[in-house]
Amino acid sequence: MISDNIMDIGQGQQQEDFFEGTEKLLELWFESTRPGCKSLRLIPRFELDEICKLAECEIISEMHNESCDSYVLSESSLFVSDNRLILKTCGTTVPLNALDKIMICAKKYANQTELTNVFYSRKNFLRPSMQPEVHSSIDDECMHLDKYVKNGTAYCLGGLRDDRWYLYTCNPPRAYLSKADHTLEIIMQDLDREVMDTFTMEQSVDGYHATKLSGIDKLVPSNTKIDSKLFEPCGYSMNGLIGDTDEYVTIHVTPEPEYSYVSFETNQSQLCLFSQLVKVIATFRPNRFLLTVCADDGSDKGRLAQKDMMKAMLPGFKRVDFQMVITSEHAVMYARYERDQYIKEICK
Amino acid sequence: MISDNIMDIGQGQQQEDFFEGTEKLLELWFESTRPGCKSLRLIPRFELDEICKLAECEIISEMHNESCDSYVLSESSLFVSDNRLILKTCGTTVPLNALDKIMICAKKYANQTELTNVFYSRKNFLRPSMQPEVHSSIDDECMHLDKYVKNGTAYCLGGLRDDRWYLYTCNPPRAYLSKADHTLEIIMQDLDREVMDTFTMEQSVDGYHATKLSGIDKLVPSNTKIDSKLFEPCGYSMNGLIGDTDEYVTIHVTPEPEYSYVSFETNQSQLCLFSQLVKVIATFRPNRFLLTVCADDGSDKGRLAQKDMMKAMLPGFKRVDFQMVITSEHAVMYARYERDQYIKEICK
């Protein structure tokens, strides 16, 4: 089987010169209808700190609305709502090592014992050999997830030897009603230098400033409450909570030119997802990116976005890969784009 | 990465009790427009014998029409037309070992030196550990193919840990015009016992008899010339050439109940591919199957079939997986079906 290591690039580079922007994204959905179930938001902060510690990162900022708690982490983000927990971490963090503790806390504080759905996903790492053992291959990650998930299944979207995206999920029992959720994720690489410079201490004073300067504040629905952080000497994270819903936006920027990486993720339902995509690409100006749209059967917005994106052209870009997976409960669309060489040359 | 070995089933079984019906399918397209190019059909029989020997099988029967030469092999089939060669072999054969010789013969006899497209595909093996080294994983197969193919890329369609289908192909240079070809492949497992018994020496006298008894003669377009072979004590292969075109049908049956396997493959353009599918399923009555439809950009029939199959319901079956890959030149549709448990129970 194609090993992750085949794509291990830049091994000659010194480790200290490199940061793996690629996030591991763990999204857990718990049963919410059984009598006695309580909100996951009852898990106290010290336990969330412990969960993050096990994943090898820490909470550096928090923000709340009526439906969701948002935490900016030293490496990416954590969102907790009544029956959904999202842990997204980059670098060499180990989110799967936090699973035991998450399950224990869900039971102890929310009387939640049953996962109704699980999504674990990531792009292929740039430097898989630098990852800790649990995350050293999708194979290992699957085996770890199998301890918590019944009928887990995994897909590789994209070519086995190109940039690609792995998804582990499960086929939930039919008893659970279909949700109407959707998620748009855009993973960008090789980004415009000028845009990336915005996310350095040289150009921006703090997260708030970088958010304005880069235009991120205009990118998200207008009623988004933003918690952003600029890192020293560079790097940026933001969580946004939309109105008082559990809809969120989260953006993470690794601006170093050698391995520039930006991720954008949202489950917002205010903007059409295709126009959201266009805004994101116009703001960050990547030379290549991949995008995924996951849509539950009940999500008209998500399904519509998939249809739009299947047909749509993005001026200046060539779609080099397109894939779709349809399971009994949801549909996942994957596409990879590269800027036309010509345009890439002019832009230099 | 998920190793093939995870799915190695029945390892306890003695090797002599087992036959790997799963075929390795190699389809090579050569440049046909360059001045001086001649037909691959000029490759003489003794060289084809040598090619098969390198793949570890042999020609046992041949048939010809104006556009194509068809060979039934001890393990599956070989088709040679002017600029396309298809080598499909099952068991523990090594078709990739024949690639060198094929390229040498294409040059020597047809002045053909350039591959314009390559498709190598197979389902996951039931017993990967029994395969020879070159075919021990898709990773190894890709590396071998890379010696002959520029820009080779590979996909895994279906879950990484379920029944799945691997495809290696290349992005051909834009200079080559898009063909209008399409291929429907149906890979069936766990088939109806009564149907499978047709393909034993106990019930049928020879290939011709088994073709009639099973209804295969009614399954294919009416102007199909059939070359079929019944094996001792069981097993069946047929090649069909349609009219005087290079359209073909090929069917291979491994009837043993413990590992029953039937493959159906065609590029015919007379019947609608969806009705072809329904006829195949009604004839062989599998409990589970996967199907792929590869369609070049120019193939309306292929694209239409993909659309049909994306929406269509097959009564009695549940679609458990659906995937689509769209590249710059063609679209590949993959679906996996299982008979509804209820119906499966009644049918027992």
Side-chain angles (χ1 to χ4, degrees), chain A residues 72-327:
Chain A
V72 174
L73 307 181
S74 53
E75 272 101 350
S76 307
S77 295
L78 169 68
F79 291 95
V80 185
S81 55
D82 287 345
N83 65 326
R84 184 196 67 205
L85 185 147
I86 298 173
L87 179 58
K88 183 175 196 169
T89 66
C90 59
T92 54
T93 50
V94 206
L96 295 188
N97 277 355
L99 257 171
D100 247 339
K101 182 75 184 174
I102 293 171
M103 295 305 290
I104 288 168
C105 288
K107 185 175 180 187
K108 183 169 176 187
Y109 299 99
N111 194 25
Q112 299 262 26
T113 52
E114 205 153 348
L115 287 169
T116 59
N117 220 329
V118 172
F119 300 90
Y120 174 75
S121 65
R122 64 171 173 85
K123 200 185 90 58
N124 58 305
F125 296 120
L126 290 173
R127 304 272 291 268
S129 59
M130 280 170 59
Q131 290 297 318
E133 207 181 331
V134 177
H135 290 282
S136 59
S137 73
I138 186 68
D139 191 5
D140 290 309
E141 291 167 318
C142 287
M143 282 194 289
H144 193 89
L145 283 154
D146 280 345
K147 294 178 204 162
Y148 307 90
V149 177
K150 278 179 214 143
N151 303 319
T153 188
Y155 296 94
C156 174
L157 300 194
L160 293 170
R161 301 160 353 136
D162 306 311
D163 268 346
R164 59 202 178 276
W165 185 77
Y166 295 107
L167 171 67
Y168 176 101
T169 185
C170 63
N171 289 317
R174 280 169 182 256
Y176 299 119
L177 282 173
S178 195
K179 305 183 305 298
D181 200 49
H182 56 257
T183 307
L184 166 68
E185 201 183 357
I186 308 168
I187 297 175
M188 294 162 270
Q189 287 179 278
D190 189 8
L191 294 108
D192 183 84
R193 192 68 175 269
E194 256 178 52
V195 176
M196 288 301 96
D197 284 346
T198 322
F199 303 102
T200 61
M201 286 283 186
E202 281 172 22
Q203 290 217 3
S204 293
V205 179
D206 55 16
Y208 179 80
H209 189 202
T211 302
K212 289 268 175 205
L213 206 60
S214 60
I216 286 177
D217 58 332
K218 303 229 161 38
L219 191 61
V220 297
S222 54
N223 58 338
T224 305
K225 204 163 110 188
I226 292 178
D227 182 10
S228 60
K229 176 84 187 166
L230 186 67
F231 293 90
E232 172 78 49
C234 68
Y236 170 91
S237 281
M238 82 76 112
N239 285 350
L241 291 177
I242 299 167
D244 264 319
T245 69
D246 69 349
E247 294 185 9
Y248 64 90
V249 180
T250 184
I251 299 175
H252 300 282
V253 179
T254 302
E256 289 90 334
E258 298 79 16
Y259 40 86
S260 62
Y261 176 100
V262 175
S263 70
F264 175 95
E265 182 192 338
T266 188
N267 67 344
Q268 60 89 358
S269 58
Q270 296 191 4
L271 304 175
C272 130
L273 293 184
F274 185 72
S275 69
Q276 178 74 86
L277 166 68
V278 172
K279 280 172 132 184
V280 169
I281 299 306
T283 302
F284 292 104
R285 301 180 353 218
N287 277 320
R288 52 202 173 94
F289 65 94
L290 60 86
L291 73 94
T292 64
V293 181
C294 296
D296 290 334
D297 270 357
S299 170
D300 293 338
K301 284 241 175 191
R303 287 297 178 101
L304 183 67
Q306 292 177 335
K307 257 192 203 163
D308 285 350
M309 290 183 196
M310 187 159 175
K311 290 178 196 160
M313 305 289 288
L314 279 177
F317 286 90
K318 187 184 166 201
R319 191 172 74 191
V320 287
D321 220 337
F322 179 88
Q323 256 179 279
M324 192 131 188
V325 173
I326 300 175
T327 71

Side-chain angles (χ1 to χ4, degrees), chain A residues 1-2 6 137 139 142 146 152-155 157 159-162 166 174 318 321-326, chain B residues 1-2 6 137-139 142 146 152-155 157 159-162 166 174 318 321-326:
Chain A
M1 200 58 196
I2 304 296
I6 287 181
S137 73
D139 191 5
C142 287
D146 280 345
T153 188
Y155 296 94
L157 300 194
L160 293 170
R161 301 160 353 136
D162 306 311
Y166 295 107
R174 280 169 182 256
K318 187 184 166 201
D321 220 337
F322 179 88
Q323 256 179 279
M324 192 131 188
V325 173
I326 300 175
Chain B
M1 199 60 193
I2 303 298
I6 285 180
S137 73
I138 186 69
D139 192 6
C142 287
D146 280 344
T153 186
Y155 297 94
L157 300 194
L160 293 169
R161 306 176 329 151
D162 306 311
Y166 294 108
R174 280 168 182 259
K318 187 186 167 198
D321 219 337
F322 179 89
Q323 257 179 280
M324 193 132 188
V325 173
I326 300 175

